[in-house]
Amino acid sequence: MRVLKGIWKWGLRLFVVLFIGQFIYIVLLKWVNPPVTFTQIGSMLAGRGCHSRNKSSADVSENARLAVIASEDQLFPDHNGFDWKSIQKAIEYNQKKPGRLRGASTISQQTAKNVFLWQGRSWFRKGLETYFTFMIERIWGKKRILEVYLNVAETGNGIFGIEQAAQTYFNKPAKNLTQYEAAAIAAILPNPLKLSVRPMSPYVASRARKIVQQMNFLKPDRDIQRIVQAD
């Protein structure tokens, strides 16, 4: 019994320390960029390398911020971190076609996963993703979430972030990206290891054009403007 009580007390202390630690880390990242992510570590271990340059929103084109919203999460300004309708549709689709999984992650969920967690589809990881999404929505806010997402998202083979992608694919800083260039980078986000901006496949080119159309449609929206405009 003494041994069990000792283990219980040790485990409880460890849990408290880890909980306080992760909370402090979440708060700190409201102002400080993540030094490294599990996805970046995985890329290095897989031999793909990790090339990344962090930039503030002021140093990133409005086109880039608008492009990822148009491509990945058009309800980003309106939801609380979860797009429940899309999640329900994805569940129904996956039940009908279990061999072809469809995701429904918002930008907030993707940011939580990229910054704090590892890649995978386990229920345990998904539960942690839900927790971290809830926390960053309330502590960081939409603008900071989008800023971090644009710095940590995988944008190619060993390439992370919009700045590194802009330099790699277009030899220019992210603040100078045109609509179509930003849309082309956003077009590969669903699968950056298989899709590429250069050379650009007909699929990516077609998807980029559709994203530009959605950007033009979303741009006048006031809620969108509050998020994509730099402070």
Side-chain angles (χ1 to χ4, degrees), residues 21-85:
Q22 61 81 29
F23 180 76
I24 293 173
Y25 188 55
I26 293 172
V27 174
L28 184 64
L29 293 186
K30 181 177 174 67
W31 299 281
V32 180
N33 289 318
V36 68
T37 69
F38 281 108
T39 305
Q40 291 171 343
I41 293 172
S43 180
M44 289 185 283
L45 293 176
R48 297 192 299 271
C50 175
H51 306 282
S52 175
R53 305 183 194 185
N54 290 325
K55 290 291 181 179
S56 66
S57 291
D59 293 320
V60 174
S61 166
E62 182 180 313
N63 289 325
R65 295 193 289 277
L66 186 57
V68 296
I69 291 176
S71 170
E72 298 291 288
D73 185 4
Q74 294 190 11
L75 295 178
F76 181 61
D78 305 314
H79 61 61
N80 62 353
F82 307 94
D83 183 353
W84 298 111
K85 289 185 178 179

Side-chain angles (χ1 to χ4, degrees), residues 11-21:
L12 184 60
R13 288 172 184 171
L14 179 62
F15 174 79
V16 171
V17 169
L18 291 175
F19 183 82
I20 294 174

